[in-house]
Amino acid sequence: MISFENTEIAFRSKSDNDLKRSYLLFKTLSHNSLVKLGGSLTQSAIKMHIPVNWVVKPTIYKQFVGGESIEECGPTVRNLQEYNVKAILDYSVEGKESDEDIEAALIETLRSIKNAGNNSNIPFAVFKPTAFTTPDILENVSAGKKLTEREKQEADRFRIRIETLCKVAYESNVPILIDAEDSWFQNFIDDVVNEMMAKFNKEKAIIFNTFQMYRHDRLSFLEESYQKAVDGNYYLGAKFVRGAYMEKERERSHELGYPSPIQPDKDSTDRDFNAALKFCIDHIDRITIFNGTHNEYSASYLAELMEEKGLQKNDSRVWFSQLFGMSDHISFNLADAGYNVAKYLPYGPVKHVIPYLVRRAEENTSVKGQTGRELSLISKEMSRRRSKN
Ligand SMILES: Cc1cc2nc3c(=O)[nH]c(=O)nc-3n(C[C@H](O)[C@H](O)[C@H](O)COP(=O)(O)OP(=O)(O)OC[C@H]3O[C@@H](n4cnc5c(N)ncnc54)[C@H](O)[C@@H]3O)c2cc1C
């Protein structure tokens, strides 16, 4: 069974100063009230055009983001590669809705796909579908509402933008991950992604849908997606995550009075997540797995399933992934053992990636034990290094 205990391997890409900086940052994130205050002060400062780069960039941004542009991520990509860890450049500008912003996101995502096509250390491209239309279009189409002429045209434009991205990914031979967000947008996104898989996954998995296993309907949706792939004779690209928007999902279902799409408890999410991995290994001839998790059990369980099935550790149909700045003990130990590992590496101008950073800060405050785990691993490594000197 793979062990994630070795902190020398986990942190070998980090200098002593990097470790100290990370320690201080996670220590700060462990204070709930500080995170709330910092988050709202930063957002207000941005609204009032008060510069925040000087405080954000050397601290939380440096921990979780690769740089302001693809080019600025270069040194980080090379640093990870030294230890056999690959990178996935994720343009993390969120919450923009104007036509110009959508166009700009499209151009930047196309650049990131082409960049990945020219760099073997960047094995995937990625995008958030919400960057390519407005929330009301995704919501109305997903709910099956009758659309106005304008809405129909906008929905078509969304489909065309997604197809443009998928086609360029296919032509560049770069698998592309399509993130999942709020459940009320997802029916339309799933339909478009299934259509793209049927079109571009004939030879191998190029287009990947995301399955959020905190939804109680996703295991059966995985089985349906697999059946569609069998019937349509194409490969299924399946990225698994637990899901990042649980509170929002529960609040909305409560407010609007419909049954929550979220599992009743964490054990149910864990059970379905791991069952999904098992299902995919059992059907590996048709599925490529992208296991996006910081959960040690879910990472080691997939490694075990691979062994039971007799797969090579570096089988090209199985990938492990964590976010940059988090859970290096999982990423670097898996990579050291020979598994395929890629870190999600967000990039974008400081003020535009603030929503992403706020999510990371909140997650590290709220996810049970996550910050404590990072802190104790970093302390362990700092004292190991001290005792060596
Ligand atoms: C590479 C990568 C890509 C990602 N991409 C996406 C994406 O496209 N879309 C997205 O939504 N998220 C994405 N995430 C975030 C992910 O969904 C999780 O929020 C995060 O990774 C924490 O889950 P975990 O499996 O790492 O760890 P764990 O700590 O084991 O799980 C925490 C998660 O369990 C679930 N959970 C916690 N409590 C309960 C409860 N009471 N009832 C039910 N479920 C509960 C929640 O989903 C919570 O986030 C990504 C994460 C990674 C590493």
Side-chain angles (χ1 to χ4, degrees):
M1 192 164 164
I2 178 111
S3 159
F4 302 124
E5 296 297 307
N6 188 324
T7 58
E8 182 178 0
I9 293 176
F11 295 113
R12 58 191 182 187
S13 72
K14 303 270 187 232
S15 68
D16 292 350
N17 277 340
D18 289 339
L19 278 185
K20 272 187 214 144
R21 191 179 34 78
S22 298
Y23 186 85
L24 276 177
L25 183 78
F26 281 112
K27 198 80 195 153
T28 313
L29 293 182
S30 67
H31 296 286
N32 208 333
S33 46
L34 266 183
V35 169
K36 283 211 169 99
L37 182 67
S40 49
L41 279 180
T42 311
Q43 307 225 38
S44 314
I46 287 173
K47 276 190 199 130
M48 290 188 282
H49 302 287
I50 299 171
V52 291
N53 283 27
W54 64 276
V55 58
V56 174
K57 206 160 178 189
T59 55
I60 188 166
Y61 184 94
K62 192 165 165 50
Q63 177 71 27
F64 295 116
V65 182
E68 302 219 15
S69 61
I70 291 176
E71 292 70 26
E72 263 192 35
C73 292
T76 305
V77 174
R78 286 190 291 277
N79 181 253
L80 292 171
Q81 179 51 30
E82 270 187 49
Y83 307 100
N84 204 22
V85 175
K86 313 250 175 200
I88 301 168
L89 269 58
D90 179 14
Y91 182 55
S92 295
V93 172
E94 297 180 17
K96 306 257 171 226
E97 291 177 25
S98 72
D99 273 356
E100 299 85 76
D101 288 329
I102 291 176
E103 205 45 42
L106 189 69
I107 290 169
E108 184 57 34
T109 310
L110 288 169
R111 275 190 75 223
S112 79
I113 298 170
K114 289 181 186 154
N115 179 61
N118 293 325
N119 188 335
S120 60
N121 299 328
I122 306 181
F124 291 84
V126 61
F127 68 84
K128 283 199 175 358
T130 49
F132 300 111
T133 187
T134 54
D136 58 322
I137 296 296
L138 291 174
E139 187 173 345
N140 290 347
V141 180
S142 293
K145 284 198 183 142
K146 193 166 163 33
L147 303 180
T148 62
E149 262 325 296
R150 186 201 65 79
E151 285 176 322
K152 276 189 206 152
Q153 281 169 12
E154 192 41 54
D156 277 347
R157 285 169 71 196
F158 172 73
R159 224 198 109 277
I160 291 166
R161 288 178 188 125
I162 303 303
E163 179 155 5
T164 304
L165 293 166
C166 293
K167 186 163 180 282
V168 171
Y170 174 79
E171 287 165 357
S172 312
N173 195 23
V174 173
I176 189 158
L177 306 161
I178 302 178
D179 281 356
E181 292 163 87
D182 303 325
S183 62
W184 52 96
F185 298 152
Q186 200 60 38
N187 284 348
F188 183 29
I189 294 169
D190 287 338
D191 286 348
V192 175
V193 178
N194 280 335
E195 190 188 327
M196 295 305 136
M197 285 204 267
K199 208 163 189 164
F200 297 111
N201 285 9
K202 290 280 185 206
E203 300 119 52
K204 63 175 183 178
I206 286 280
I207 314 300
F208 282 65
N209 205 0
T210 297
F211 298 79
Q212 294 165 308
M213 303 312 295
Y214 67 5
R215 284 182 58 174
H216 53 66
D217 64 351
R218 290 296 93 171
L219 198 52
S220 53
F221 178 64
L222 169 66
E223 288 162 10
E224 259 172 52
S225 302
Y226 167 73
Q227 198 49 52
K228 275 203 172 89
V230 172
D231 296 343
N233 196 23
Y234 61 86
Y235 291 90
L236 177 64
K239 170 186 155 189
F240 294 103
V241 297
R242 280 181 170 73
Y245 310 95
M246 185 172 75
E247 282 84 14
K248 208 185 349 166
E249 290 282 353
R250 284 186 170 148
E251 269 165 31
R252 184 179 189 268
S253 66
H254 183 72
E255 265 166 31
L256 301 183
Y258 61 89
S260 170
I262 303 298
Q263 306 266 16
D265 48 41
K266 171 84 163 63
D267 284 350
S268 312
T269 300
D270 292 348
R271 181 203 59 221
D272 278 11
F273 190 98
N274 298 325
L277 298 178
K278 169 93 174 76
F279 179 88
C280 292
I281 290 287
D282 287 345
H283 299 89
I284 194 70
D285 288 346
R286 193 163 291 274
I287 306 181
T288 295
I289 308 169
F290 185 95
N291 186 16
T293 186
H294 300 143
N295 182 298
E296 291 172 5
Y297 180 77
S298 293
S300 65
Y301 178 59
L302 180 58
E304 251 173 64
L305 290 173
M306 290 173 74
E307 195 175 333
E308 274 168 31
K309 183 84 177 173
L311 302 182
Q312 296 285 323
K313 287 177 177 168
N314 66 348
D315 190 295
S316 62
R317 295 164 299 181
V318 185
W319 283 84
F320 296 80
S321 183
Q322 289 73 43
L323 304 180
F324 180 71
M326 289 170 76
S327 297
D328 280 347
H329 67 303
I330 299 182
S331 315
F332 283 73
N333 279 295
L334 279 169
D336 186 70
Y339 293 94
N340 295 320
V341 180
K343 292 287 242 196
Y344 252 50
L345 183 61
Y347 73 94
V350 176
K351 68 175 180 185
H352 296 317
V353 300
I354 295 292
Y356 176 85
L357 291 176
V358 168
R359 259 208 320 285
R360 290 295 73 79
E362 285 173 356
E363 178 179 310
N364 277 283
T365 313
S366 66
V367 175
K368 236 181 169 178
Q370 189 115 286
T371 304
R373 187 174 77 183
E374 294 289 352
L375 279 171
S376 77
L377 288 162
I378 297 171
S379 311
K380 184 174 160 199
E381 176 59 8
M382 291 201 302
S383 53
R384 191 197 65 80
R385 288 188 191 180
R386 268 197 306 273
S387 67
K388 227 182 87 202
N389 293 330

